[in-house]
Structure formats: C-alpha cells, structure tokens
Amino acid sequence: MKRLFVIFLLCISFSALAQSFPHPFKKKKPWHSGTVVFHNGDTLYGNLKFTRKVSEGLLQVRHGKQVKVFTVKDVLSFSYYDKKKNKTRRYLTLSMAPDLATREHEVFIEYIHGNNKFSLLNYKALGFSDQAVQINPFRTKTVVNKRYLLDNSTGKIVPLTKDNVLGLMDEERKEVMSYIHTSGMRLKTVEDYILLLDYHQSLIAGI
C-alpha cells in the first residue's frame, strides 16, 4: 500500500512538471511572406507558417482567404523572409534518418550555407541538450539543433563533425588541415564550418 502511495505521488509530481513546462513547439508562430516549390514544378506565393508538430514538419500556406497545409509529400522546397532574424530562410525536402529514427524518411530541413560541393543543414527536433544531466529524471526535452553536411553530388548526408567533414573533403584534405591549423579553427561552431566551406570553395574553384 505504501508503495502504491509513493507511485501516486510521483505521478502527481510528473503531471505538475509537465504543466509547468509548455511544449516547445506549441509556441505561436508568425506568418512570413514566402515561396513554395512543389514536386510537380508548380510554384505558390503566399504567407507561410512552418511548424514541427510532426517530426518531418508541416507547412501552412495562406493564399488569399484560404489556408492549406502541406507535407513533405507535396513540397520540394520553400523559403521565406524572417523579419525577426533579418534573413531569408530556405528549407529542402530530403530523405534522411534523424537521430533516434530507425529508418530514413523525408523531412523538411533548413539550408544554412554551402558551396558548389557541400551544403550545411540544420534539423530542429525535440531532444536533450548535451549539457543536460543524463541521470536527472526531471529533465525536459527542448528544441535541439541537429546539424548535418550534404554532399550535393551524391546526396549523402552525415552528422556535422570534424571527422565527417574531413572525410568528405578527402581530395583537399592536406590544404584543409593546413588552413585549420594556421587559422586556429576548432570547428566547434556553425560559424567555423561556414568559414571552412568558404575556404573549400576557393580550393575547388581554383581561386
């Protein structure tokens, strides 16, 4: 009986915690003026709202008085101007296996930067940050950025790590390693990888 009472108290505690921390993807999203390109080649202009209410993402498009919802099965790519971030954001539909997924499936993934050979991508998902204490039973899932590198020619997608990047840049590995060493680059931030891709572009373009 005492054990059941303890379990009951724990259930109440977890319920209270769930109510205290709202779902990260339930925050109201603003509308943005943008463009949608469909798999059949058609293009639609309107106000866009993108959410991660499902893992692959959902795209709402307001065109006139109508609001339609599209999935990865409909959309090849879309872009919109984000006033808050003061930049144009671009998303692609790609087949991949995000963290914890058991098989590849199509998802909307954001294009961050790239050159003629590679594209830096970002996939937002619910998960635990690297700083979260692993044994903490009260830790809550937050929006975590999972970054990847796409080989534009082969379609291969790998997690964004130093070893993976150097593996894909194997033909220019010597020059790339020299650049990393002389610049003191640690490859710990997105900005570091953007600089590396720009340098890599200068190599493959023969500048």
Side-chain angles (χ1 to χ4, degrees):
M1 187 71 182
K2 183 178 179 181
R3 183 181 178 186
L4 290 174
F5 181 68
V6 171
I7 294 173
F8 175 71
L9 288 178
L10 284 173
C11 290
I12 293 176
S13 299
F14 282 119
S15 177
L17 280 170
Q19 293 176 16
S20 301
F21 298 98
H23 193 288
F25 287 137
K26 286 187 177 179
K27 188 164 64 174
K28 191 173 182 180
K29 299 280 186 178
W31 291 93
H32 303 282
S33 178
T35 306
V36 183
V37 179
F38 297 95
H39 287 295
N40 62 8
D42 289 348
T43 301
L44 179 64
Y45 302 93
N47 291 315
L48 314 183
K49 184 186 289 188
F50 175 61
T51 67
R52 285 278 182 203
K53 290 184 178 179
V54 295
S55 62
E56 63 268 23
L58 289 175
L59 179 66
Q60 298 179 64
V61 180
R62 187 172 65 194
H63 186 67
K65 294 183 178 181
Q66 290 187 327
V67 175
K68 294 184 178 181
V69 178
F70 298 103
T71 71
V72 291
K73 300 299 182 184
D74 309 302
V75 177
L76 178 65
S77 66
F78 65 92
S79 62
Y80 61 82
Y81 182 71
D82 190 329
K83 291 182 179 179
K84 186 176 181 180
K85 294 183 178 294
N86 192 29
K87 68 176 185 179
T88 298
R89 302 180 69 176
R90 300 177 177 87
Y91 289 79
L92 311 171
T93 296
L94 292 175
S95 182
M96 60 179 293
D99 287 1
L100 303 181
T102 56
R103 61 181 178 80
E104 286 193 356
H105 61 281
E106 290 185 324
V107 299
F108 287 130
I109 191 165
E110 186 172 9
Y111 171 91
I112 303 298
H113 191 75
N115 60 25
N116 290 349
K117 197 169 182 180
F118 302 112
S119 296
L120 175 58
L121 309 171
N122 184 62
Y123 176 79
K124 284 189 176 182
L126 279 178
F128 300 111
S129 67
D130 295 336
Q131 290 75 31
V133 180
Q134 299 299 315
I135 60 173
N136 179 10
F138 300 109
R139 62 182 178 151
T140 57
K141 287 185 176 182
T142 59
V143 178
V144 178
N145 291 301
K146 302 291 185 180
R147 298 186 174 95
Y148 299 87
L149 192 69
L150 166 69
D151 186 323
N152 298 334
S153 60
T154 65
K156 183 179 181 180
I157 302 174
V158 296
L160 189 67
T161 66
K162 181 179 179 179
D163 288 342
N164 283 339
V165 170
L166 291 177
L168 290 177
M169 295 182 177
D170 192 54
E171 292 181 9
E172 302 82 21
R173 190 183 186 95
K174 183 178 179 180
E175 293 87 347
V176 169
M177 287 298 296
S178 177
Y179 172 73
I180 293 173
H181 178 72
T182 56
S183 66
M185 186 177 291
R186 301 180 61 190
L187 293 180
K188 295 292 186 181
T189 66
V190 174
E191 290 72 23
D192 285 344
Y193 285 103
I194 288 175
L195 289 174
L196 185 61
L197 287 179
D198 288 345
Y199 173 72
H200 182 261
Q201 175 63 27
S202 71
L203 293 177
I204 62 178
I207 298 175

